[in-house]
Amino acid sequence: TYNIVHAQYLLFYLASLDPLLTQRFLTVTWRIFISPNSASILRQTAMSYLASFLSRSSTVSTPQLLGHLTKLTSWAHSYVRNRESADSGLDFMYTDLARHGPFYSACQAIFYIFAFRHLELTSTPKRLKLVQGLAWHSLVACGLNPLRVCLPGTVLYCQVVHYIQSSCQVW
């Protein structure tokens, strides 16, 4: 396994073979992410794996996906509320990756998952209403400015999807 670049895809494949393994993988990565005792880099890596698996795996059902997005979004909103009450006057142009790395990785995950599975997430009025209720606009507009740190391709894709949906009066 020395020098294998894409070992995570082997892990994703194995996790997708059995629904119990899928659930276990999702649970373990989530626990690592939310644990304040884990190193920041481990938390961010766990979130990357979680986001990749949720966005690409065909074994993750839409209700599972919505459940994880809801949990992830709740965590991000809670983080913003805690930081805004602790920090006075966040500078919108200031980003501190070392301090807020897990938050930025959570936002990246939310946008990445939406970018890949937006058709599924907005396919029915009930799902669309649930996604709208997650209030991602308040995450985007918060003082931590997550779009400044997210991958440019993910941000651009989400902007294009938002533009198309808003012009069709679906968003």
Side-chain angles (χ1 to χ4, degrees):
T1 60
Y2 173 74
N3 211 13
I4 293 180
V5 181
H6 303 290
Q8 71 270 19
Y9 292 110
L10 180 60
L11 180 64
F12 292 170
Y13 173 73
L14 293 173
S16 69
L17 292 177
D18 182 18
L20 291 174
L21 286 175
T22 296
Q23 189 57 42
R24 177 89 172 132
F25 177 75
L26 294 172
T27 301
V28 167
T29 53
W30 178 252
R31 281 189 191 146
I32 292 169
F33 175 72
I34 63 169
S35 172
N37 296 327
S38 296
S40 181
I41 191 68
L42 291 177
R43 295 174 72 192
Q44 293 174 57
T45 302
M47 184 49 58
S48 296
Y49 286 151
L50 183 75
S52 293
F53 191 76
L54 287 172
S55 62
R56 305 285 183 135
S57 177
S58 61
T59 61
V60 175
S61 66
T62 305
Q64 261 183 318
L65 179 65
L66 285 167
H68 278 75
L69 270 177
T70 301
K71 200 165 35 170
L72 182 54
T73 302
S74 292
W75 183 91
H77 282 299
S78 175
Y79 187 89
V80 169
R81 276 191 306 276
N82 291 338
R83 293 301 163 239
E84 286 178 347
S85 66
D87 297 339
S88 59
L90 286 172
D91 181 6
F92 194 70
M93 295 307 290
Y94 177 72
T95 52
D96 188 351
L97 288 172
R99 185 172 177 199
H100 305 295
F103 169 76
Y104 291 125
S105 66
C107 289
Q108 167 72 26
I110 291 168
F111 305 140
Y112 186 77
I113 292 165
F114 180 74
F116 276 91
R117 306 230 6 213
H118 70 277
L119 292 175
E120 188 177 337
L121 291 169
T122 59
S123 64
T124 66
K126 183 179 177 182
R127 288 180 186 167
L128 179 62
K129 188 170 183 136
L130 191 119
V131 169
Q132 288 173 332
L134 295 175
W136 292 336
H137 58 280
S138 64
L139 288 177
V140 170
C142 79
L144 293 171
N145 195 5
L147 291 182
R148 186 162 188 209
V149 180
C150 285
L151 294 172
T154 303
V155 173
L156 179 63
Y157 191 78
C158 286
Q159 288 172 339
V160 168
V161 168
H162 174 71
Y163 174 75
I164 291 169
Q165 289 181 339
S166 64
S167 66
C168 296
Q169 297 181 359
V170 175
W171 187 253

